[in-house]
Amino acid sequence: MNSVWELETFYRKRDIIIIGAGFTGLWSAISIKEKYPEKSVLVIERNSVPLGASTRNAGFACFGSLTEIIADSEKMGWEKTLDLVKMRFDGLQKIQIYFKNSEIDFELNGGFEILNDDQPLQKIDEVNEKLKSITGIEKTYFLNQDKIKEFGLGKSEYLIENPCEGSLHSGKLLQKLLEKCNELKVEFLFGTEVENIVENVDEIEVQLSENLSIKSSQIIHCTNAFASKFLEKEEIIPARGQIILTEPIEDLKLKGTFHYDEGFYYFRNLGNRILLGGGRNQDFKTEETTAFETTEFLQNHLENFLKDVILPDQKFEISLRWSGIMAMGSEKTPIVKQLSDKQFCAVRLSGMGVALAPKIGEIVAEMIFV
């Protein structure tokens, strides 16, 4: 049985409850408090720190690669693709307005994509023309063969450069977002799992473990791949991304962020170490999971990719291995909508949460209290 002190403080009724303290949940909390400072906002997170993909990613800014944008346009059409690119571009601008680059190790030092055939080059002018109104750059993507040798990527045919891509420290960004939330008097319950949600006519009850519950006027689901527990009707496919990080490498040539094969492979330097993730297209079915594990098959595959493509003829050792859980669908458009009178969701960010979440938070703030 709880005390009156707990029931009248930590477990009291709030105006808004957000489930999930990852990038989407925190940016949504910030946007709501900036728009409605008088409203009480509580964020509930089942883990001791935000998990999912926010602290388990590769630390990319997530603008996107050339072949990824070509593939998206063929699958979703140009209108949806450009809407998504604009949201990511604007999201990255917003991050830089809120936080100093040095606070979150943000480096827009350019992104690169390895190509081993010239087919995407046939569409590069069309893509640049489409993106010009978003980025303000004549050539968002351009061929830069000189850097193949500079980066030690001698086995690659073509290298596409993109000045809009970059890297950051995901943990530091989350810490800064938490600091901003605290400034705005957003409240938190960490290590607390939501067991059930009961929507009544005049309020909504969020049921926790140990017979506890908190009432609210509205709730927002921001648990991305884990949202299917409560959002059974939505198309949310979990997608595990496995990652490896090397020990320091002497005289490392590689600098920047890199993509390969429609973004299914992504790697970057982390100081003088290499961080490499992806390859789930080699084993789609196994990687459709919410289990935080690594598999021998994909770990070996990533190590071979390191050996053959990134560090040919160089010795390396692996220092860390981990995985993060993204959420995918048949197309990349996020699900941001009202589910019922009192429930909303912002989920399925397709591995682009770093760049998308700042703008999705604004959309969420516009949807509520209408």
Side-chain angles (χ1 to χ4, degrees), residues 93-266:
Q93 304 302 306
K94 183 171 179 176
I95 289 172
Q96 292 173 90
I97 291 168
Y98 273 66
F99 309 115
K100 294 176 184 172
N101 287 0
S102 59
E103 292 177 322
I104 57 173
D105 297 351
F106 200 125
E107 292 184 13
L108 278 179
N109 47 15
F112 302 89
E113 179 172 18
I114 293 171
L115 298 178
N116 285 324
D117 69 77
D118 64 358
Q119 196 174 348
L121 298 178
Q122 316 304 319
K123 297 199 170 184
I124 196 167
D125 290 339
E126 180 189 4
V127 173
N128 283 335
E129 187 61 35
K130 298 277 189 187
L131 265 57
K132 192 162 59 175
S133 62
I134 296 170
T135 64
I137 303 169
E138 285 291 327
K139 292 185 176 181
T140 303
Y141 298 100
F142 58 91
L143 199 59
N144 193 339
Q145 297 295 83
D146 294 340
K147 289 196 174 178
I148 291 177
K149 187 178 180 182
E150 182 184 325
F151 292 143
L153 297 169
K155 293 189 177 180
S156 304
E157 290 283 326
Y158 305 100
L159 194 66
I160 303 292
E161 186 166 353
N162 159 29
C164 299
E165 188 61 89
S167 58
L168 49 74
H169 192 301
S170 300
K172 289 182 180 180
L173 175 55
L174 273 162
Q175 284 188 322
K176 295 308 291 185
L177 288 169
L178 286 167
E179 285 176 23
K180 184 66 180 174
C181 284
N182 287 328
E183 279 176 32
L184 295 168
K185 293 187 167 49
V186 174
E187 297 174 275
F188 289 88
L189 281 179
F190 282 98
T192 305
E193 183 154 12
V194 175
E195 300 283 351
N196 195 25
I197 293 163
V198 179
E199 185 169 344
N200 300 310
V201 176
D202 52 349
E203 62 188 7
I204 194 159
E205 183 181 356
V206 178
Q207 297 176 346
L208 313 174
S209 57
E210 298 176 3
N211 296 320
L212 279 169
S213 67
I214 306 175
K215 290 173 180 173
S216 177
S217 300
Q218 295 172 310
I219 71 164
I220 305 158
H221 298 267
C222 294
T223 50
N224 207 29
F226 301 88
S228 51
K229 176 180 177 180
F230 298 113
L231 278 58
E232 294 175 358
K233 293 179 181 176
E234 305 301 331
E235 186 200 27
I236 300 170
I237 303 167
R240 181 170 60 195
Q242 297 190 37
I243 293 172
I244 56 178
L245 178 68
T246 70
E247 294 284 2
I249 296 166
E250 198 174 334
D251 300 322
L252 182 65
K253 295 179 179 180
L254 199 79
K255 184 169 176 58
T257 58
F258 296 79
H259 288 95
Y260 176 75
D261 192 12
E262 295 180 18
F264 279 113
Y265 297 82
Y266 37 91

Side-chain angles (χ1 to χ4, degrees), residues 11-126:
Y11 301 114
R12 75 187 189 280
K13 183 177 179 179
R14 305 309 204 288
D15 294 312
I16 298 283
I17 289 178
I18 295 171
I19 306 172
F23 290 134
T24 309
L26 297 186
W27 277 113
S28 296
I30 289 166
S31 296
I32 290 166
K33 284 296 281 186
E34 286 178 338
K35 189 172 175 64
Y36 303 101
E38 75 286 356
K39 299 294 182 184
S40 57
V41 177
L42 172 69
V43 180
I44 300 176
E45 168 60 48
R46 71 174 179 171
N47 300 292
S48 53
V49 297
L51 207 57
S54 294
T55 54
R56 295 297 188 96
N57 57 35
F60 276 60
C62 298
F63 177 81
S65 67
L66 172 65
T67 58
E68 191 175 3
I69 287 174
I70 292 170
D72 288 349
S73 69
E74 289 170 352
K75 197 167 194 178
M76 308 192 298
W78 272 113
E79 186 178 353
K80 285 183 178 179
T81 299
L82 293 176
D83 285 346
L84 208 51
V85 172
K86 179 167 174 34
M87 195 183 291
R88 296 199 297 253
F89 183 79
D90 291 346
L92 294 176
Q93 304 302 306
K94 183 171 179 176
I95 289 172
Q96 292 173 90
I97 291 168
Y98 273 66
F99 309 115
K100 294 176 184 172
N101 287 0
S102 59
E103 292 177 322
I104 57 173
D105 297 351
F106 200 125
E107 292 184 13
L108 278 179
N109 47 15
F112 302 89
E113 179 172 18
I114 293 171
L115 298 178
N116 285 324
D117 69 77
D118 64 358
Q119 196 174 348
L121 298 178
Q122 316 304 319
K123 297 199 170 184
I124 196 167
D125 290 339
E126 180 189 4

